Amino acid sequence: MTLRYDGKSVPAGPTLPVDGLGPTLTLDVPPGVELLRAELCLQMPGDDVTLDLMKGVPPAAVATSAGRTCLPTDGEIRWLTVDWGVRRPLTFLQIDSPTANRRGRLKVSDGGPWFPPLPMDVIPLGREGQQLPALMASRLMLELVEDAGAGSGNPLKESSASVQGVLLKAAARPADLWACIGTQSPFFQYPQPLPPRQELILRDELSIALRQAWPAGLQGGPVEVHLRSSAAGRLRRARLSLETAVVVTTWKNGSGQWSGSLPYGGEVVSPIDVPTDRPLRSVELTVEAQSRKERVPLTPAPPSLPEQAQLCGPGFVAAQAFTVRRKEALLGIDLHLRLLSRAARGTVTLHSDVGNRPAEVSLNSTTVEFELESEGDPPWGARWLPVDLPSPVTVEGTWWVVLTLTEGQVLWTLDAPPAPPPSAAAAPLGALYQLEKGPWLEREPPPLQAPPLKPWACCRPRFFEPATPPPPSVLLRWGTHVLPVVPDARGRVSLDERTLGGLPGPQAGTPLEVVVRSQVAGELTLSALRVTSPRSDTYELFTPS
């Protein structure tokens, strides 16, 4: 933010100049900043700060009874006028004259007729001058007079005198004041001088004008505010107060929209980088969730580092059997896997049952390819691999899920079989493995397990469910504090400052997070993000030095 006068930096001093050239305030608006309110406070100087009207730019115009526009040096005059063109408060007048016993009858005008500034309409001539009580005028007339003598009804009579100089001072308060943005029309105008040391506050009109001129689309850029006066004047102080808000419209990845899968029984966390030195003013976003119509009868919760697992890799194939009591439309299946290599690649196939073993040919030729990559340093924890079928597959009786890897190695979590599921749900049977295309072999239970139960490879089959699934829950999380929110019928979330009071103040180094949790899988889109964080700043643009 810079304050300049006539294109140059404003020099330090007791007052700030204001006239037809300036000053100009330039706001360097950074990207992503929105204006809430603005206030510009301008303080007028006292009457002790004056301007010499006879040396102004342009100087005041002088006319005399001798028909000249300057004071004659070779004779006397009967009257003179001084015209400076704008209404100003006169504070001092000095008429330098060597002629003795002469005085001046003073008259002033404010664009209309002449009138005497009672009660002091006659002033003495001489080098000492006369203090004036801030007479408001744009012109001045002085008629030379002398004593009329005893017996006269009028104590003064017209006379003439030699006048060698005139000194006329006025208070330096601006004769008028107006403000504009760039080359636009003025958004504020004050047509006359303000009282001494009066503060002029531009608030609503300045806020409206700045918002209209603010860089479009929050792109940032300069905005110039011009202060102007029709004649030279001075200001004692200028102070600008701004209430702004940093506006965040992109997620942490830099995109204005986040789209991805919503895992079954899991959550999606989308972080937002917000300023950590200010609170939140508002949060808006749109949540569009397309939940799948599916049912998951088996919901195992194995640990991240399971105690039992079977190896799967090139030459090591694993299978898990299920049985259903009626026909089901299988939409997909989730496998609980732990990477042993940096990455792995393979296929998941479905097979019917032949002699308690997977059939040679896959069921409906269904084969789904997958890739897994590890993050961070080993050891890596186990996680769910969602496998979505290209189209629903009808399963009935006993059927198998077969995991084959072409690259890398994984561990498929083994666990004790769950309790018998309700009717029509999938019941897991035993797990098998195959080495180098040899026979299928059963997994033996751990020797210390009592009673000995054949382990099963943890899976979550997902079946079609015609009933409408429950909507996902949406949370706003900042650090350890969580604020539940409810989108409207259109998925719109709109939180004001009062609602956001449930969250703590700024969390240093912690991003604001939108958390979406769902009981079923689906597709999720987060868009139309707008997070505002307010800030108030006051800038002393000019103070007396």
Side-chain angles (χ1 to χ4, degrees):
M1 184 175 303
T2 58
L3 183 67
R4 305 179 75 83
Y5 173 79
D6 193 18
K8 302 175 182 178
S9 298
V10 177
T15 55
L16 168 68
V18 56
D19 54 22
L21 299 176
T24 296
L25 170 63
T26 302
L27 306 179
D28 296 317
V29 181
V33 172
E34 176 185 60
L35 177 68
L36 304 179
R37 281 174 293 275
E39 178 181 291
L40 179 61
C41 179
L42 305 173
Q43 187 181 50
M44 305 299 114
D47 284 346
D48 56 326
V49 180
T50 60
L51 297 174
D52 187 346
L53 299 182
M54 308 307 295
K55 297 180 180 180
V57 181
V62 176
T64 68
S65 61
R68 302 180 185 179
T69 58
C70 60
L71 298 175
T73 59
D74 54 354
E76 296 185 345
I77 58 174
R78 291 179 291 108
W79 55 264
L80 64 86
T81 63
V82 182
D83 188 343
W84 52 94
V86 294
R87 195 167 186 254
R88 287 189 181 279
L90 304 179
T91 59
F92 183 80
L93 175 62
Q94 175 188 319
I95 305 297
D96 186 4
S97 173
T99 306
N101 301 321
R102 298 293 189 272
R103 283 184 286 176
R105 180 182 288 123
L106 185 63
K107 295 181 180 179
V108 294
S109 172
D110 192 12
W114 297 102
F115 61 91
L118 298 177
M120 51 161 302
D121 60 337
V122 178
I123 64 172
L125 307 185
R127 293 183 178 274
E128 292 185 359
Q130 176 69 48
Q131 295 290 334
L132 303 178
L135 297 175
M136 202 66 72
S138 60
R139 294 188 298 165
L140 176 145
M141 173 183 284
L142 192 73
E143 297 175 325
L144 282 305
V145 295
E146 61 179 324
D147 292 336
S152 172
N154 189 347
L156 298 175
K157 66 177 181 179
E158 295 183 358
S159 182
S160 62
S162 173
V163 177
Q164 298 179 350
V166 176
L167 175 60
L168 180 61
K169 292 184 179 181
R173 289 174 276 143
D176 49 33
L177 198 63
W178 50 275
C180 69
I181 304 291
T183 58
Q184 300 177 7
S185 299
F187 65 84
F188 171 83
Q189 290 178 298
Y190 197 86
Q192 59 188 6
L194 276 83
R197 294 189 179 274
Q198 176 73 34
E199 286 189 346
L200 174 65
I201 297 179
L202 308 183
R203 185 180 294 116
D204 293 343
E205 56 270 74
L206 175 63
S207 298
I208 294 172
L210 281 177
R211 288 195 200 103
Q212 293 174 347
W214 210 251
L218 302 178
Q219 295 299 311
V223 178
E224 290 186 343
V225 181
H226 303 289
L227 297 176
R228 297 291 187 263
S229 180
S230 59
R234 314 291 292 190
L235 297 173
R236 185 172 183 271
R237 186 185 298 270
R239 180 178 66 249
L240 178 68
S241 298
L242 292 177
E243 290 186 38
T244 58
V246 172
V247 181
V248 179
T249 58
T250 59
W251 305 94
K252 190 176 179 66
N253 61 7
S255 173
Q257 178 174 297
W258 185 97
S259 297
S261 297
L262 190 59
Y264 164 81
E267 65 180 24
V268 167
V269 179
S270 189
I272 311 166
D273 277 331
V274 295
T276 58
D277 60 346
R278 61 189 76 181
L280 298 175
R281 181 174 183 264
S282 65
V283 174
E284 298 177 8
L285 70 144
T286 298
V287 180
E288 299 177 75
Q290 296 180 347
S291 299
R292 301 173 186 171
K293 291 187 174 183
E294 60 183 25
R295 173 172 44 88
V296 183
L298 297 175
T299 56
S304 175
L305 295 175
E307 296 180 357
Q308 304 177 59
Q310 61 179 349
L311 177 66
C312 299
F316 296 83
V317 182
Q320 172 62 47
F322 293 91
T323 182
V324 293
R325 299 181 183 178
R326 69 183 184 193
K327 288 184 179 181
E328 296 278 4
L330 184 67
L331 303 180
I333 188 165
D334 303 335
L335 283 63
H336 199 252
L337 306 178
R338 178 187 173 194
L339 277 167
L340 293 180
S341 56
R342 179 67 62 177
R345 179 179 300 175
T347 61
V348 174
T349 55
L350 301 178
H351 297 256
S352 57
D353 178 74
V354 176
N356 296 326
R357 297 290 186 267
E360 290 292 334
V361 180
S362 61
L363 189 62
N364 290 359
S365 300
T366 301
T367 300
V368 180
E369 297 182 354
F370 70 89
E371 291 184 13
L372 280 176
E373 290 187 6
S374 55
E375 297 179 358
D377 298 325
W380 300 292
R383 51 180 165 162
W384 289 104
L385 170 67
V387 177
D388 296 322
L389 303 180
S391 60
V393 175
T394 301
V395 293
E396 185 178 8
T398 301
W399 49 278
W400 293 84
V401 178
V402 177
L403 175 63
T404 305
L405 266 68
T406 56
E407 294 181 19
Q409 290 183 329
V410 299
L411 292 177
W412 192 351
T413 300
L414 294 175
D415 201 357
S423 175
L429 302 178
L432 302 180
Y433 66 97
Q434 184 184 56
L435 301 178
E436 300 296 342
K437 297 184 180 181
W440 287 102
L441 304 175
E442 292 186 357
R443 282 291 174 187
E444 296 297 330
L448 299 180
Q449 189 181 74
L453 298 174
K454 293 183 178 180
W456 75 296
C458 290
C459 295
R460 292 191 306 215
R462 293 181 274 116
F463 300 111
F464 174 74
E465 173 58 56
T468 302
S473 61
V474 183
L475 308 171
L476 200 62
R477 185 167 64 195
W478 206 357
T480 59
H481 294 75
V482 175
L483 178 66
V485 298
V486 179
D488 61 18
R490 299 176 299 171
R492 189 67 180 159
V493 173
S494 183
L495 307 176
D496 58 16
E497 197 167 6
R498 180 178 179 181
T499 306
L500 292 169
L503 289 175
Q507 304 286 296
T510 302
L512 181 69
E513 295 175 324
V514 175
V515 183
V516 181
R517 294 173 178 169
S518 178
Q519 298 180 21
V520 296
E523 302 301 322
L524 177 67
T525 299
L526 302 176
S527 61
L529 177 68
R530 183 180 177 86
V531 180
T532 60
S533 301
R535 176 176 176 174
S536 297
D537 297 285
T538 298
Y539 305 91
E540 291 290 347
L541 305 175
F542 184 88
T543 55
S545 62

